[in-house]
Amino acid sequence: MNIFRLTGDLSHLAAIIILLLKIWKTRSCAGISGKSQILFALVFTTRYLDLLTSFISLYNTSMKMIYIGCAFATVYLIYMKFKATYDGNHDSFRVEFLVVPIGGLSVLINHDFSLLEILWTFSIYLESVAILPQLFMISKTGEAETITTHYLFCLGLYRTLYLFNWIWRFYFEGFFDMIAIVAGVVQTILYCDFFYLYFTKVLKGKKLSLPA
């Protein structure tokens, strides 16, 4: 495992922990898109079905189980335990406009026409746009809490580091996965505007706001 993948995984884990701690400590899920969290839970569930069929390493298995467990824990906190604090009026992105086309695309463009491979491909495509409901929610409310922006920054950092991971693997291992790379580039592009605002506002103590 190279340093880019390791730090990418740690950034991803940090994002998840930041979000869970934010919700638990404040006893509120205000400003958090439940729809994005459902999409991420769907991403991890469809991607890590290989837990049932193969074992790669203790690290690999542990991280997959943590991602799945934390994703569903977050959904539970938003829609069950702290449901009264959930802002469903602003979390209005139509996720079916993402899930349905991506489902069709994963059937048409994949590495192998098998159930597990199609579901893995679906997860890759869906992850690239799963953050859109959260960004859309921020644009509707006009601003985001600092802790929420830290969560988004760690997610964007994770994806950016994975781009370097793929470059590393191409040059040193000869590994090249066009589907994962294209989806990763799309996801990173979605974070570009956020990164700019994060460094120019949030780190200077100002509240983040995205254009409506």
Side-chain angles (χ1 to χ4, degrees):
M1 179 186 299
N2 63 70
I3 188 63
F4 298 113
R5 179 176 178 181
L6 178 60
T7 53
D9 286 346
L10 293 178
S11 295
H12 197 181
L13 184 60
I16 294 171
I17 292 174
I18 287 172
L19 185 63
L20 281 171
L21 288 178
K22 183 269 182 192
I23 296 174
W24 187 258
K25 285 189 173 182
T26 62
R27 318 296 286 182
S28 170
C29 55
I32 303 299
S33 168
K35 291 185 177 181
S36 268
Q37 297 310 310
I38 288 176
L39 293 181
F40 281 123
L42 184 58
V43 165
F44 297 137
T45 301
T46 53
R47 181 175 302 172
Y48 299 142
L49 288 174
D50 61 345
L51 283 170
L52 304 174
T53 61
S54 61
F55 176 82
I56 298 175
S57 68
L58 180 61
Y59 170 83
N60 183 276
T61 298
S62 299
M63 292 299 283
K64 289 177 179 180
M65 293 180 67
I66 289 172
Y67 288 153
I68 293 173
C70 288
F72 279 97
T74 303
V75 171
Y76 166 76
L77 292 178
I78 294 173
Y79 287 100
M80 299 293 290
K81 190 170 183 62
F82 303 122
K83 182 179 179 180
T85 65
Y86 170 55
D87 186 5
N89 291 327
H90 286 117
D91 192 15
S92 57
F93 191 94
R94 300 286 296 276
V95 294
E96 61 269 27
F97 292 155
L98 298 177
V99 175
V100 174
I102 286 173
L105 184 62
S106 63
V107 171
L108 295 173
I109 304 177
N110 50 67
H111 294 307
D112 179 58
F113 196 76
S114 65
L115 180 60
L116 286 181
E117 187 64 29
I118 290 172
L119 289 175
W120 178 87
T121 305
F122 172 81
S123 76
I124 296 295
Y125 292 152
L126 184 60
E127 186 185 18
S128 69
V129 294
I131 200 62
L132 282 177
Q134 180 67 65
L135 298 178
F136 183 74
M137 187 176 185
I138 293 175
S139 71
K140 288 194 69 175
T141 58
E143 61 182 33
E145 295 180 14
T146 299
I147 194 70
T148 304
T149 62
H150 292 332
Y151 157 72
L152 291 172
F153 174 77
C154 286
L155 274 185
L157 181 61
Y158 139 69
R159 180 45 62 193
T160 303
L161 287 167
Y162 254 65
L163 290 181
F164 287 104
N165 164 60
W166 290 322
I167 293 172
W168 176 282
R169 294 190 66 184
F170 175 74
Y171 279 102
F172 293 96
E173 302 174 16
F175 175 83
F176 183 78
D177 188 329
M178 180 61 74
I179 289 177
I181 291 174
V182 171
V185 169
V186 170
Q187 189 174 358
T188 304
I189 290 173
L190 291 178
Y191 284 97
C192 285
D193 186 48
F194 170 81
F195 279 147
Y196 171 77
L197 293 173
Y198 184 87
F199 283 110
T200 58
K201 292 188 176 183
V202 177
L203 295 184
K204 294 181 179 179
K206 300 177 182 180
K207 282 190 174 183
L208 173 72
S209 60
L210 294 178

